Coordinates of all heavy atoms in Angstrom, one line a residue:
M125 N 14.2 -21.7 -16.5 CA 14.2 -20.3 -16.1 C 13.2 -19.5 -17.0 O 13.0 -19.7 -18.2 CB 15.6 -19.7 -16.2 CG 16.6 -20.4 -15.4 SD 16.6 -20.1 -13.7 CE 17.7 -21.2 -13.1
A126 N 12.6 -18.5 -16.4 CA 11.5 -17.7 -17.0 C 12.1 -16.7 -18.0 O 13.1 -16.0 -17.7 CB 10.7 -17.0 -16.0
K127 N 11.6 -16.6 -19.2 CA 12.0 -15.7 -20.2 C 11.0 -14.5 -20.2 O 9.8 -14.7 -20.4 CB 12.0 -16.4 -21.6 CG 12.2 -15.4 -22.8 CD 13.7 -15.0 -22.9 CE 13.8 -14.2 -24.2 NZ 14.7 -13.1 -24.0
M128 N 11.5 -13.4 -19.9 CA 10.6 -12.1 -19.9 C 10.6 -11.6 -21.3 O 11.6 -11.4 -22.0 CB 11.2 -11.1 -19.0 CG 11.2 -11.5 -17.5 SD 9.6 -11.5 -16.8 CE 9.0 -9.8 -17.0
T129 N 9.4 -11.4 -21.8 CA 9.3 -10.9 -23.2 C 9.0 -9.3 -23.1 O 8.7 -8.8 -22.1 CB 8.1 -11.5 -23.9 OG1 6.8 -11.1 -23.2 CG2 8.2 -13.0 -23.9
K130 N 9.3 -8.7 -24.3 CA 9.1 -7.3 -24.4 C 7.6 -6.9 -24.1 O 7.3 -6.0 -23.4 CB 9.5 -6.8 -25.8 CG 9.3 -5.3 -26.0 CD 9.7 -4.9 -27.4 CE 8.5 -5.2 -28.3 NZ 8.7 -4.6 -29.7
E131 N 6.7 -7.8 -24.6 CA 5.3 -7.6 -24.5 C 4.9 -7.6 -23.0 O 4.0 -6.9 -22.5 CB 4.5 -8.6 -25.3 CG 4.6 -8.4 -26.8 CD 5.9 -8.8 -27.3 OE1 6.6 -9.7 -26.7 OE2 6.3 -8.3 -28.4
E132 N 5.5 -8.5 -22.2 CA 5.2 -8.6 -20.8 C 5.7 -7.4 -20.0 O 5.0 -6.8 -19.2 CB 5.9 -9.9 -20.2 CG 5.2 -11.2 -20.6 CD 6.0 -12.3 -20.1 OE1 7.3 -12.3 -20.1 OE2 5.4 -13.4 -19.7
V133 N 6.8 -6.9 -20.4 CA 7.4 -5.7 -19.8 C 6.4 -4.5 -20.2 O 6.1 -3.7 -19.3 CB 8.8 -5.4 -20.2 CG1 9.3 -4.1 -19.8 CG2 9.7 -6.5 -19.7
I134 N 6.0 -4.4 -21.4 CA 5.1 -3.3 -21.8 C 3.8 -3.4 -21.1 O 3.3 -2.3 -20.6 CB 4.9 -3.3 -23.3 CG1 6.2 -2.9 -24.0 CG2 3.7 -2.4 -23.8 CD1 6.2 -3.1 -25.5
E135 N 3.3 -4.6 -20.8 CA 2.0 -4.7 -20.1 C 2.2 -4.3 -18.6 O 1.4 -3.6 -18.1 CB 1.6 -6.2 -20.2 CG 0.3 -6.4 -19.4 CD -0.9 -5.8 -19.8 OE1 -1.0 -5.3 -21.0 OE2 -1.9 -5.7 -19.0
V136 N 3.3 -4.7 -18.0 CA 3.5 -4.3 -16.6 C 3.7 -2.8 -16.5 O 3.2 -2.2 -15.6 CB 4.7 -5.1 -16.0 CG1 5.1 -4.5 -14.7 CG2 4.4 -6.5 -15.9
A137 N 4.5 -2.2 -17.5 CA 4.7 -0.8 -17.5 C 3.3 -0.1 -17.6 O 3.0 1.0 -17.0 CB 5.6 -0.4 -18.6
H138 N 2.4 -0.6 -18.5 CA 1.1 0.0 -18.7 C 0.3 0.0 -17.3 O -0.3 0.9 -16.9 CB 0.3 -0.8 -19.8 CG -1.1 -0.4 -19.9 ND1 -1.5 0.9 -20.4 CD2 -2.2 -1.0 -19.5 CE1 -2.8 1.0 -20.4 NE2 -3.3 -0.2 -19.9
L139 N 0.3 -1.2 -16.7 CA -0.4 -1.3 -15.4 C 0.2 -0.4 -14.3 O -0.6 0.1 -13.5 CB -0.3 -2.8 -14.9 CG -1.0 -3.8 -15.7 CD1 -0.7 -5.3 -15.3 CD2 -2.5 -3.6 -15.7
A140 N 1.5 -0.1 -14.4 CA 2.1 0.8 -13.4 C 2.0 2.2 -13.9 O 2.6 3.1 -13.2 CB 3.6 0.4 -13.2
R141 N 1.4 2.5 -15.0 CA 1.2 3.8 -15.6 C 2.6 4.4 -15.9 O 2.8 5.6 -15.7 CB 0.4 4.7 -14.7 CG -0.9 4.2 -14.3 CD -1.9 4.2 -15.4 NE -3.2 4.0 -15.0 CZ -3.9 2.8 -15.1 NH1 -3.3 1.8 -15.6 NH2 -5.2 2.7 -14.8
L142 N 3.5 3.6 -16.5 CA 4.8 4.1 -16.9 C 4.9 4.1 -18.4 O 4.5 3.2 -19.1 CB 5.9 3.1 -16.3 CG 6.0 3.0 -14.9 CD1 7.0 1.9 -14.5 CD2 6.4 4.3 -14.2
A143 N 5.4 5.1 -18.9 CA 5.6 5.3 -20.4 C 7.0 4.8 -20.7 O 8.0 5.4 -20.2 CB 5.4 6.7 -20.8
I144 N 7.1 3.7 -21.5 CA 8.5 3.3 -21.9 C 8.5 3.0 -23.4 O 7.5 2.8 -24.0 CB 8.9 2.0 -21.1 CG1 8.0 0.8 -21.4 CG2 9.0 2.2 -19.6 CD1 8.4 -0.5 -20.9
T145 N 9.7 3.2 -23.9 CA 9.8 2.9 -25.4 C 10.1 1.4 -25.6 O 10.3 0.7 -24.7 CB 11.0 3.7 -26.0 OG1 12.2 3.2 -25.3 CG2 10.9 5.2 -25.7
D146 N 10.0 1.0 -26.9 CA 10.3 -0.4 -27.2 C 11.7 -0.8 -26.9 O 11.9 -1.9 -26.4 CB 10.0 -0.6 -28.7 CG 8.6 -0.8 -29.1 OD1 7.7 -0.9 -28.1 OD2 8.2 -0.7 -30.3
E147 N 12.6 0.1 -27.1 CA 14.0 -0.1 -26.7 C 14.2 -0.3 -25.2 O 14.9 -1.2 -24.8 CB 15.0 1.0 -27.2 CG 15.0 1.2 -28.7 CD 13.9 2.0 -29.3 OE1 13.3 2.8 -28.6 OE2 13.6 1.8 -30.5
E148 N 13.5 0.5 -24.5 CA 13.6 0.4 -23.0 C 12.9 -1.0 -22.6 O 13.4 -1.6 -21.7 CB 12.9 1.5 -22.3 CG 13.6 2.8 -22.4 CD 12.8 4.0 -21.9 OE1 11.6 4.0 -22.1 OE2 13.4 4.9 -21.3
A149 N 11.8 -1.4 -23.2 CA 11.2 -2.6 -22.9 C 12.1 -3.8 -23.1 O 12.1 -4.7 -22.3 CB 9.9 -2.7 -23.7
V150 N 12.8 -3.8 -24.2 CA 13.8 -4.9 -24.5 C 14.8 -4.9 -23.5 O 15.2 -6.0 -22.9 CB 14.4 -4.7 -25.9 CG1 15.5 -5.7 -26.1 CG2 13.3 -4.9 -27.0
H151 N 15.4 -3.7 -23.1 CA 16.4 -3.6 -22.1 C 15.9 -4.1 -20.7 O 16.6 -4.9 -20.1 CB 16.9 -2.1 -22.0 CG 17.9 -1.9 -21.0 ND1 19.2 -2.3 -21.1 CD2 17.9 -1.2 -19.8 CE1 19.9 -2.0 -20.1 NE2 19.2 -1.3 -19.3
F152 N 14.7 -3.7 -20.3 CA 14.2 -4.0 -19.1 C 13.8 -5.6 -19.0 O 13.9 -6.2 -18.0 CB 12.9 -3.3 -18.7 CG 13.2 -1.8 -18.4 CD1 12.3 -0.8 -18.8 CD2 14.4 -1.4 -17.8 CE1 12.6 0.5 -18.5 CE2 14.7 -0.1 -17.5 CZ 13.8 0.9 -17.9
A153 N 13.4 -6.1 -20.2 CA 13.1 -7.5 -20.3 C 14.4 -8.3 -20.0 O 14.3 -9.3 -19.2 CB 12.5 -7.9 -21.6
D154 N 15.5 -7.9 -20.5 CA 16.8 -8.6 -20.3 C 17.1 -8.5 -18.8 O 17.5 -9.5 -18.2 CB 17.9 -8.0 -21.1 CG 17.7 -8.3 -22.6 OD1 17.0 -9.2 -22.9 OD2 18.3 -7.5 -23.4
Q155 N 17.0 -7.3 -18.2 CA 17.3 -7.1 -16.8 C 16.4 -7.9 -15.9 O 16.8 -8.6 -15.0 CB 17.2 -5.7 -16.4 CG 18.3 -4.8 -17.0 CD 18.2 -3.3 -16.5 OE1 17.1 -2.9 -16.2 NE2 19.3 -2.6 -16.5
L156 N 15.1 -7.9 -16.2 CA 14.2 -8.7 -15.3 C 14.4 -10.2 -15.5 O 14.2 -10.9 -14.5 CB 12.7 -8.3 -15.7 CG 12.3 -6.9 -15.2 CD1 11.0 -6.5 -15.9 CD2 12.2 -6.8 -13.7
E157 N 14.8 -10.6 -16.7 CA 15.0 -12.0 -16.8 C 16.2 -12.4 -16.0 O 16.3 -13.5 -15.3 CB 15.3 -12.3 -18.3 CG 15.5 -13.8 -18.6 CD 15.8 -14.1 -20.0 OE1 15.5 -13.2 -20.9 OE2 16.2 -15.2 -20.3
A158 N 17.3 -11.6 -16.0 CA 18.5 -11.8 -15.2 C 18.1 -11.9 -13.7 O 18.6 -12.7 -12.9 CB 19.5 -10.8 -15.4
I159 N 17.2 -11.0 -13.2 CA 16.8 -11.0 -11.8 C 16.0 -12.2 -11.5 O 16.3 -12.8 -10.4 CB 16.0 -9.7 -11.5 CG1 16.9 -8.4 -11.6 CG2 15.3 -9.7 -10.1 CD1 16.2 -7.1 -11.7
T160 N 15.1 -12.6 -12.3 CA 14.3 -13.8 -12.0 C 15.1 -15.1 -12.1 O 14.9 -15.9 -11.3 CB 13.1 -13.9 -12.9 OG1 13.5 -13.9 -14.3 CG2 12.1 -12.8 -12.7
N161 N 16.1 -15.1 -12.9 CA 17.0 -16.3 -13.0 C 17.8 -16.3 -11.8 O 18.0 -17.4 -11.2 CB 17.9 -16.2 -14.2 CG 17.1 -16.4 -15.5 OD1 16.0 -17.0 -15.5 ND2 17.7 -16.0 -16.6
A162 N 18.3 -15.2 -11.2 CA 19.1 -15.2 -10.0 C 18.2 -15.7 -8.8 O 18.6 -16.4 -7.9 CB 19.6 -13.8 -9.7
M163 N 17.0 -15.2 -8.8 CA 16.0 -15.6 -7.7 C 15.7 -17.2 -7.8 O 15.5 -17.8 -6.8 CB 14.8 -14.8 -7.8 CG 14.9 -13.3 -7.5 SD 15.7 -13.0 -5.8 CE 17.3 -12.6 -6.3
E164 N 15.6 -17.7 -9.0 CA 15.4 -19.1 -9.2 C 16.5 -19.9 -8.6 O 16.3 -21.1 -8.2 CB 15.2 -19.5 -10.7 CG 13.9 -19.0 -11.3 CD 12.7 -19.8 -10.8 OE1 12.9 -21.1 -10.5 OE2 11.7 -19.3 -10.6
L165 N 17.7 -19.4 -8.6 CA 18.8 -20.1 -8.0 C 18.6 -20.4 -6.5 O 19.0 -21.4 -5.9 CB 20.1 -19.4 -8.1 CG 20.7 -19.3 -9.6 CD1 22.0 -18.4 -9.6 CD2 21.1 -20.7 -10.1
L166 N 17.8 -19.5 -5.9 CA 17.5 -19.7 -4.5 C 16.7 -20.9 -4.2 O 16.7 -21.6 -3.1 CB 16.8 -18.5 -3.9 CG 17.6 -17.2 -3.9 CD1 16.8 -16.0 -3.3 CD2 18.9 -17.4 -3.0
N167 N 15.9 -21.4 -5.2 CA 15.0 -22.5 -5.1 C 15.9 -23.8 -5.0 O 15.4 -24.8 -4.5 CB 14.1 -22.7 -6.3 CG 13.0 -21.7 -6.2 OD1 12.6 -21.2 -5.1 ND2 12.5 -21.3 -7.4
E168 N 17.2 -23.8 -5.4 CA 18.0 -24.9 -5.3 C 18.6 -25.1 -3.9 O 19.2 -26.2 -3.6 CB 19.1 -24.8 -6.3 CG 18.6 -24.8 -7.8 CD 19.8 -24.5 -8.8 OE1 21.0 -24.6 -8.4 OE2 19.4 -24.2 -9.9
L169 N 18.5 -24.1 -3.1 CA 19.0 -24.2 -1.7 C 18.2 -25.1 -0.8 O 17.0 -25.1 -0.9 CB 19.1 -22.8 -1.0 CG 20.1 -21.8 -1.7 CD1 19.9 -20.5 -1.0 CD2 21.5 -22.3 -1.6
D170 N 18.8 -25.9 0.1 CA 18.1 -26.7 1.0 C 17.7 -25.8 2.2 O 18.6 -25.4 3.0 CB 19.0 -27.9 1.4 CG 18.3 -28.8 2.5 OD1 17.0 -28.8 2.5 OD2 19.0 -29.5 3.2
T171 N 16.4 -25.6 2.3 CA 15.9 -24.8 3.4 C 15.1 -25.6 4.4 O 14.3 -25.0 5.1 CB 15.1 -23.6 2.9 OG1 14.0 -24.1 2.1 CG2 16.0 -22.6 2.1
E172 N 15.3 -26.9 4.4 CA 14.5 -27.8 5.2 C 14.5 -27.4 6.7 O 13.5 -27.4 7.3 CB 15.0 -29.2 5.0 CG 14.2 -30.3 5.8 CD 13.0 -30.7 5.1 OE1 12.8 -30.5 3.9 OE2 12.1 -31.2 5.8
N173 N 15.7 -27.1 7.2 CA 15.8 -26.9 8.7 C 16.0 -25.4 9.0 O 16.5 -25.1 10.0 CB 17.0 -27.7 9.2 CG 16.8 -29.2 9.1 OD1 15.7 -29.7 9.4 ND2 17.8 -29.9 8.6
V174 N 15.5 -24.5 8.1 CA 15.7 -23.1 8.3 C 14.3 -22.6 8.7 O 13.4 -22.7 8.0 CB 16.2 -22.4 7.0 CG1 16.2 -20.9 7.2 CG2 17.5 -22.9 6.6
E175 N 14.3 -21.9 9.9 CA 13.0 -21.4 10.4 C 12.6 -20.1 9.6 O 13.5 -19.3 9.3 CB 13.1 -21.0 11.8 CG 13.1 -22.2 12.8 CD 13.0 -21.8 14.2 OE1 12.2 -20.8 14.5 OE2 13.8 -22.3 15.0
P176 N 11.4 -20.0 9.2 CA 11.0 -18.7 8.5 C 11.2 -17.5 9.5 O 11.1 -17.6 10.7 CB 9.5 -18.9 8.3 CG 9.2 -20.4 8.5 CD 10.3 -20.9 9.4
T177 N 11.6 -16.4 8.9 CA 11.8 -15.2 9.7 C 11.3 -14.0 8.9 O 11.2 -14.0 7.7 CB 13.3 -15.0 10.0 OG1 13.5 -13.8 10.8 CG2 14.1 -14.9 8.7
T178 N 10.9 -12.9 9.7 CA 10.5 -11.7 9.1 C 11.6 -10.6 9.2 O 11.5 -9.6 8.7 CB 9.2 -11.2 9.7 OG1 9.4 -11.1 11.1 CG2 8.1 -12.2 9.4
H179 N 12.6 -10.9 10.1 CA 13.6 -9.9 10.3 C 14.9 -10.7 10.7 O 14.8 -11.7 11.4 CB 13.2 -9.0 11.5 CG 14.0 -7.7 11.5 ND1 15.2 -7.6 12.0 CD2 13.7 -6.5 11.0 CE1 15.7 -6.4 11.9 NE2 14.7 -5.6 11.3
V180 N 16.0 -10.1 10.3 CA 17.3 -10.8 10.6 C 17.7 -10.7 12.1 O 18.5 -11.5 12.5 CB 18.4 -10.3 9.7 CG1 18.1 -10.6 8.2 CG2 18.6 -8.8 9.9
L181 N 17.2 -9.7 12.8 CA 17.5 -9.6 14.2 C 16.3 -10.1 15.1 O 15.2 -9.8 14.7 CB 17.8 -8.1 14.5 CG 19.0 -7.5 13.7 CD1 19.2 -6.0 14.0 CD2 20.3 -8.3 14.1
P182 N 16.6 -10.6 16.2 CA 15.5 -11.1 17.0 C 14.9 -10.0 17.8 O 14.9 -10.0 19.1 CB 16.2 -12.2 17.9 CG 17.6 -11.6 18.1 CD 17.9 -11.0 16.7
L183 N 14.2 -9.1 17.2 CA 13.6 -8.0 17.9 C 12.1 -8.3 18.0 O 11.4 -8.7 17.1 CB 13.8 -6.7 17.1 CG 15.2 -6.2 16.8 CD1 15.2 -5.0 15.9 CD2 15.9 -5.9 18.1
V184 N 11.6 -8.0 19.2 CA 10.2 -8.2 19.5 C 9.6 -7.0 20.2 O 10.1 -6.6 21.3 CB 10.0 -9.5 20.4 CG1 8.6 -9.7 20.7 CG2 10.6 -10.7 19.8
N185 N 8.6 -6.4 19.6 CA 7.9 -5.3 20.2 C 8.8 -4.2 20.8 O 8.8 -3.9 21.9 CB 6.9 -5.8 21.3 CG 5.9 -6.6 20.8 OD1 5.5 -6.5 19.6 ND2 5.3 -7.5 21.6
V186 N 9.6 -3.7 19.8 CA 10.5 -2.6 20.3 C 9.8 -1.3 20.2 O 9.9 -0.5 19.2 CB 11.8 -2.6 19.4 CG1 12.8 -1.5 19.8 CG2 12.4 -4.0 19.4
M187 N 8.9 -1.0 21.1 CA 8.1 0.2 21.2 C 8.1 0.8 22.6 O 8.3 0.0 23.5 CB 6.7 -0.1 20.7 CG 6.6 -0.6 19.3 SD 4.9 -0.9 18.8 CE 4.7 -2.6 19.3
R188 N 7.9 2.0 22.6 CA 7.8 2.6 23.9 C 6.4 2.5 24.5 O 5.5 2.2 23.7 CB 8.2 4.2 23.8 CG 7.1 5.0 23.0 CD 7.4 6.4 23.2 NE 6.5 7.2 22.3 CZ 5.2 7.5 22.5 NH1 4.6 7.0 23.5 NH2 4.6 8.2 21.6
E189 N 6.3 2.6 25.7 CA 5.0 2.4 26.4 C 4.1 3.6 25.9 O 4.6 4.8 25.9 CB 5.1 2.4 27.9 CG 3.8 2.1 28.6 CD 4.0 2.0 30.1 OE1 5.2 1.8 30.6 OE2 3.0 2.1 30.8
D190 N 2.9 3.4 25.6 CA 2.0 4.5 25.2 C 1.4 5.2 26.4 O 0.5 4.7 27.0 CB 0.9 3.9 24.4 CG 0.1 4.9 23.6 OD1 0.5 6.1 23.5 OD2 -1.0 4.6 23.1
K191 N 2.0 6.3 26.7 CA 1.6 7.1 27.9 C 1.1 8.5 27.4 O 1.7 9.1 26.5 CB 2.8 7.4 28.8 CG 3.3 6.1 29.5 CD 4.5 6.6 30.5 CE 5.1 5.3 31.1 NZ 6.2 5.7 31.9
S192 N 0.0 8.9 28.1 CA -0.5 10.2 27.8 C 0.4 11.3 28.6 O 0.7 11.1 29.8 CB -1.9 10.3 28.3 OG -2.4 11.6 28.1
I193 N 0.8 12.3 27.9 CA 1.6 13.3 28.5 C 1.0 14.7 28.2 O 0.2 14.8 27.3 CB 3.1 13.4 28.0 CG1 3.2 13.6 26.5 CG2 3.8 12.1 28.4 CD1 4.6 13.8 26.0
E194 N 1.3 15.7 29.1 CA 0.7 17.0 28.9 C 1.3 17.7 27.6 O 2.5 17.6 27.4 CB 1.1 17.8 30.1 CG 0.4 19.2 30.2 CD -1.1 19.0 30.5 OE1 -1.4 18.1 31.2 OE2 -1.8 19.9 30.0
G195 N 0.4 18.2 26.8 CA 0.9 18.9 25.6 C 1.3 20.3 25.9 O 1.4 20.8 27.0
L196 N 1.5 21.1 24.8 CA 1.9 22.5 25.0 C 0.7 23.3 25.4 O -0.4 23.0 25.1 CB 2.4 23.0 23.6 CG 3.7 22.5 23.1 CD1 3.9 23.0 21.7 CD2 4.8 22.9 24.0
P197 N 1.0 24.4 26.2 CA -0.2 25.2 26.6 C -0.8 25.9 25.4 O -0.1 26.3 24.4 CB 0.5 26.3 27.5 CG 1.9 25.8 27.8 CD 2.2 24.8 26.8
R198 N -2.1 26.0 25.4 CA -2.8 26.5 24.2 C -2.4 27.9 23.9 O -2.3 28.2 22.7 CB -4.4 26.5 24.6 CG -5.2 26.9 23.3 CD -6.7 26.9 23.7 NE -7.1 25.6 24.1 CZ -7.7 24.7 23.3 NH1 -7.9 25.0 22.1 NH2 -8.1 23.5 23.8
E199 N -2.1 28.7 24.9 CA -1.6 30.1 24.6 C -0.3 30.1 23.8 O -0.2 30.9 22.9 CB -1.5 30.9 25.9 CG -2.7 31.0 26.7 CD -3.1 29.8 27.5 OE1 -2.2 29.0 27.9 OE2 -4.3 29.6 27.7
M200 N 0.6 29.2 24.1 CA 1.9 29.1 23.4 C 1.6 28.7 22.0 O 2.2 29.2 21.0 CB 2.8 28.2 24.1 CG 4.2 28.0 23.4 SD 5.2 26.8 24.2 CE 5.8 27.8 25.6
V201 N 0.7 27.7 21.8 CA 0.5 27.2 20.4 C -0.1 28.3 19.6 O 0.2 28.5 18.4 CB -0.5 26.0 20.5 CG1 -0.9 25.6 19.1 CG2 0.2 24.8 21.2
M202 N -1.1 29.1 20.2 CA -1.8 30.1 19.4 C -0.9 31.2 19.0 O -1.2 32.0 18.1 CB -3.0 30.6 20.2 CG -4.1 29.6 20.4 SD -4.7 29.1 18.8 CE -5.6 27.6 19.3
K203 N 0.2 31.4 19.7 CA 1.2 32.4 19.3 C 1.8 32.2 17.9 O 2.2 33.1 17.2 CB 2.4 32.5 20.3 CG 2.0 33.1 21.6 CD 3.2 33.2 22.5 CE 2.8 33.7 23.9 NZ 4.0 33.8 24.8
N204 N 1.8 30.9 17.5 CA 2.4 30.5 16.1 C 1.3 30.3 15.1 O 1.6 29.9 14.0 CB 3.2 29.2 16.3 CG 4.4 29.4 17.2 OD1 5.1 30.4 17.0 ND2 4.6 28.5 18.1
V205 N 0.1 30.6 15.4 CA -1.0 30.4 14.5 C -1.4 31.7 13.8 O -1.5 32.7 14.4 CB -2.2 29.8 15.2 CG1 -3.4 29.7 14.3 CG2 -1.9 28.5 15.8
K206 N -1.5 31.6 12.5 CA -1.9 32.8 11.7 C -3.2 33.4 12.1 O -3.4 34.6 12.4 CB -1.8 32.5 10.2 CG -2.0 33.7 9.3 CD -1.8 33.3 7.9 CE -1.9 34.5 7.0 NZ -1.7 34.2 5.6
E207 N -4.2 32.5 12.1 CA -5.6 32.9 12.5 C -6.2 31.9 13.5 O -6.0 30.7 13.3 CB -6.5 33.0 11.3 CG -6.2 34.1 10.3 CD -7.2 34.1 9.1 OE1 -8.4 34.1 9.5 OE2 -6.8 34.0 8.0
H208 N -6.8 32.5 14.5 CA -7.5 31.6 15.5 C -8.8 32.3 15.9 O -8.9 33.5 15.9 CB -6.6 31.2 16.6 CG -6.0 32.4 17.4 ND1 -6.7 32.9 18.4 CD2 -4.9 33.0 17.2 CE1 -6.0 33.9 18.9 NE2 -4.9 34.0 18.2
E209 N -9.7 31.5 16.4 CA -11.0 32.0 16.9 C -11.5 31.0 17.9 O -11.6 29.9 17.8 CB -12.0 32.0 15.7 CG -13.3 32.6 16.0 CD -14.2 32.6 14.7 OE1 -13.8 33.2 13.7 OE2 -15.3 32.0 14.8
G210 N -11.8 31.6 19.1 CA -12.4 30.8 20.2 C -11.5 29.7 20.7 O -12.0 28.6 21.0
G211 N -10.2 29.9 20.7 CA -9.2 28.9 21.1 C -9.0 27.8 20.1 O -8.4 26.8 20.4
Q212 N -9.5 27.9 18.9 CA -9.3 27.0 17.8 C -8.5 27.6 16.7 O -8.6 28.8 16.4 CB -10.7 26.5 17.3 CG -11.6 25.9 18.4 CD -11.1 24.6 18.9 OE1 -10.7 23.7 18.2 NE2 -11.1 24.4 20.2
V213 N -7.8 26.7 15.9 CA -7.0 27.2 14.8 C -8.0 27.4 13.7 O -8.8 26.5 13.3 CB -5.9 26.2 14.4 CG1 -5.2 26.6 13.1 CG2 -5.0 26.0 15.5
R214 N -8.0 28.5 13.0 CA -8.8 28.8 11.8 C -8.1 28.5 10.6 O -7.0 29.0 10.4 CB -9.3 30.3 11.9 CG -10.3 30.6 10.9 CD -10.8 32.1 11.1 NE -11.6 32.5 10.0 CZ -12.9 32.3 10.0 NH1 -13.5 31.7 11.0 NH2 -13.6 32.7 8.9
V215 N -8.6 27.7 9.8 CA -8.0 27.3 8.5 C -8.9 27.6 7.3 O -10.1 27.9 7.5 CB -7.7 25.8 8.4 CG1 -6.7 25.4 9.5 CG2 -9.0 25.0 8.6
P216 N -8.3 27.8 6.1 CA -9.1 28.2 5.0 C -10.2 27.1 4.7 O -9.9 25.9 4.8 CB -8.2 28.3 3.8 CG -6.8 28.4 4.5 CD -6.9 27.7 5.8
T217 N -11.4 27.5 4.2 CA -12.4 26.6 3.8 C -11.9 25.9 2.5 O -11.5 26.5 1.6 CB -13.7 27.3 3.5 OG1 -14.1 28.0 4.7 CG2 -14.8 26.4 3.1
I218 N -12.1 24.5 2.5 CA -11.7 23.8 1.3 C -12.9 23.2 0.6 O -12.8 22.7 -0.6 CB -10.7 22.7 1.6 CG1 -11.2 21.7 2.6 CG2 -9.4 23.3 2.1 CD1 -10.3 20.5 2.8
L219 N -14.0 23.1 1.3 CA -15.3 22.5 0.7 C -16.3 23.6 0.7 O -16.4 24.4 1.6 CB -15.8 21.3 1.5 CG -14.8 20.1 1.6 CD1 -15.4 19.1 2.5 CD2 -14.5 19.5 0.2
D220 N -17.1 23.6 -0.4 CA -18.2 24.6 -0.5 C -19.4 24.2 0.3 O -19.8 23.1 0.5 CB -18.6 24.9 -1.9 CG -17.5 25.6 -2.7 OD1 -16.7 26.4 -2.1 OD2 -17.3 25.3 -3.9

C-alpha cells in the first residue's frame, strides 16, 4: 500500500495553490493514505466479467429535441433594459 508523505502533500498543495501548515500536511497525509489504501482494496476484486460503465443507470441520449422556437418580442425585452439604442441593448464599454 502507498505511504503518503508530508512532503508529497505539501507539493500537491503547492500545485493546487493551497496554503497548508506542516500539521495539516501530516493530518492530510494520514487521510490520503487511508483513502488510497481503501481504493487499493478494489484491486483485489474479480472484475473479469463486469462490463465497463460510465453510469449506473442505462440512460442513453436523454435530451430533448433541439427545436427553434419564437423568442420574446423585442419590445417586451427592451422594457427591462436600462439602456438601449437602435433595438440593441447598450452595455458599458469594458475595453478602451
Side-chain angles (χ1 to χ4, degrees):
M125 304 281 171
K127 171 77 174 138
M128 294 292 296
T129 66
K130 178 181 86 167
E131 290 74 25
E132 288 173 323
V133 172
I134 290 172
E135 177 65 18
V136 171
H138 172 73
L139 293 172
R141 306 292 192 257
L142 298 173
I144 62 172
T145 65
D146 283 346
E147 295 81 24
E148 290 172 323
V150 170
H151 179 70
F152 292 144
D154 293 339
Q155 287 184 336
L156 289 169
E157 183 178 348
I159 292 169
T160 55
N161 289 342
M163 294 301 106
E164 284 291 324
L165 290 175
L166 295 177
N167 287 333
E168 298 175 12
L169 294 175
D170 178 20
T171 58
E172 182 79 23
N173 297 317
V174 178
E175 286 188 43
T177 182
T178 58
H179 199 281
V180 295
L181 299 175
L183 301 176
V184 179
N185 295 335
V186 184
M187 296 182 274
R188 65 171 173 78
E189 187 177 340
D190 192 13
K191 292 182 185 175
S192 176
I193 60 172
E194 190 69 32
L196 293 173
R198 187 178 302 261
E199 297 78 30
M200 180 183 279
V201 173
M202 292 302 164
K203 287 180 183 179
N204 293 314
V205 174
K206 187 174 181 178
E207 293 184 53
H208 57 88
E209 183 178 306
Q212 303 292 314
V213 177
R214 185 174 173 89
V215 296
T217 303
I218 58 170
L219 301 174
D220 291 327

